[in-house]
Amino acid sequence: MNKKRAIIIVIDSMGCGAMSDCAEFGDIPKCNTLKNVCKYNNGLKVPNLEKMGLGNIGEYEGIQKTNSPIAQYGILTEKSKGKDTTTGHWEIAGHVSEKPFATFPNGFPEELISKFIQKTGCKGILANIPASGTAIIEKLNDEHHKTKFPIVYTSADSVFQIALDTDLIPLETLYEWCKIARQILDDEKYNVARVIARPYKIIDGKPTRISKDRRDYSMAPPEKTVLDKFKDKGCKVIGIGKIEDIFSKAGITHAIHTGSNKEGLELTIKALDGTLNLDEIQYSNINITDDSKEIIFTNLVDTDMLFGHRNDAKGYGKAIEEIDTYLSKILPLINKDDLLIITADHGCDPTVPGTDHTREQVPVLYYSKGIIPKDLGVTLGFDSIAQQVENWLNF
């Protein structure tokens, strides 16, 4: 029996146009991450995404429309009330979040900070404001070294972020403080989506974040997703990148973190060609009883973390082009029993004011050898991907 696989690749934050309710989320109708990145770079060279039909869903400089696409292509609008990573990925996996996560435009309440200081024993914190991560660590690094207090900050999204220099305070301590924060924030009155560990080091005299050591501590999904359904059936669900963090390990059987898009793409290729050592990354107490079906779920975070939030439209464009080069290796590995899904989870337009996520629609591409190409138009719900996965794997 041939194995049937669904491979979901999320190009983090590659939205393709503001949603009609974007103003409710503090965004402007001009937001269109993909279109504006293409324009800023005078066009992108993405021949693989182009032949899949990406250029057919909108007007993107440098991405041509094709009369002979090899994939099904379309646009998805979000049902959930949010524009963050957790909300987007949960909906992709089938859970629609009716209630938005809490945000803290004036910083976290004193009661919460006091609990954090008491339970961690950190003696104090710095910042407690919405901020750009790179900017806040540069601004407060000297004070951090003087006091040894962690830098705690948020953004327009529902995140409790903790930054520190791991040459000053051990990385393991940062992770432990994040776990304590997650326990505090599990109180439903706070309703915070993620606690994020933001380790950095001084490199060439400059505070520099260490992407490979970042960890996200998410709220667990409130209901089972398509990932849980297949895990419960004894199938493999392989999370590459920050997938296991986003789902708080729910529905995952195997997981591996990545330090870059390049690493995530190379690991995805290994998962596809059978050279990824699954024994090394399998969770304990997992019993795989059905090897006929498999989900591979990859998050490519550089577009968002390194370029979207830093208003680096040039870097964002190069990241998309890098992903496209790897598709030259990925597409030949997709056979008639595989369904490759390429999508995004929200926007983060680097060309508009601000450094936060943007409330956008996302592109979706479905490819399999022998698939009948077609224009899917605009579909309501990222959760339509979960339904496609279930249909494909005959759940």
Side-chain angles (χ1 to χ4, degrees), residues 73-105:
Y73 55 88
I75 292 173
L76 304 179
T77 59
E78 191 167 13
K79 292 178 181 176
S80 299
K81 298 299 182 183
K83 57 173 183 176
D84 59 272
T85 295
T86 302
T87 301
H89 279 76
W90 284 5
E91 187 166 322
I92 287 169
H95 172 71
V96 176
S97 303
E98 301 288 352
K99 179 183 177 183
F101 290 119
T103 56
F104 299 86

Side-chain angles (χ1 to χ4, degrees), residues 6 93-94 225-227 229-230 293 295 339 384-395:
T225 68
V226 68
L227 309 182
K229 292 178 182 179
F230 281 91
K293 299 179 178 68
I295 296 175
L339 179 65
S384 59
I385 290 176
Q387 190 59 58
Q388 287 275 19
V389 169
E390 289 196 31
N391 292 345
W392 184 262
L393 297 179
N394 300 317
F395 180 75

Side-chain angles (χ1 to χ4, degrees), residues 1-5 236 291-294 337-338:
M1 180 188 296
N2 290 332
K3 180 184 292 186
K4 297 203 74 171
R5 302 183 294 187
K236 295 189 186 88
D291 205 35
S292 68
K293 299 179 178 68
E294 182 175 290
D337 294 311
D338 297 328

Side-chain angles (χ1 to χ4, degrees), residues 296-342:
I296 302 168
F297 201 166
T298 299
N299 173 275
L300 303 175
V301 74
D302 289 359
T303 37
D304 182 62
M305 182 178 66
L306 298 183
F307 308 116
H309 285 300
R310 300 183 187 181
N311 298 129
D312 184 354
K314 184 175 182 180
Y316 203 121
K318 287 186 179 299
I320 296 174
E321 291 179 336
E322 178 185 55
I323 292 167
D324 191 82
T325 64
Y326 277 92
L327 287 176
S328 296
K329 300 176 183 179
I330 290 172
L331 291 175
L333 296 172
I334 305 300
N335 61 44
K336 64 180 179 61
D337 294 311
D338 297 328
L339 179 65
L340 171 65
I341 305 163
I342 299 175

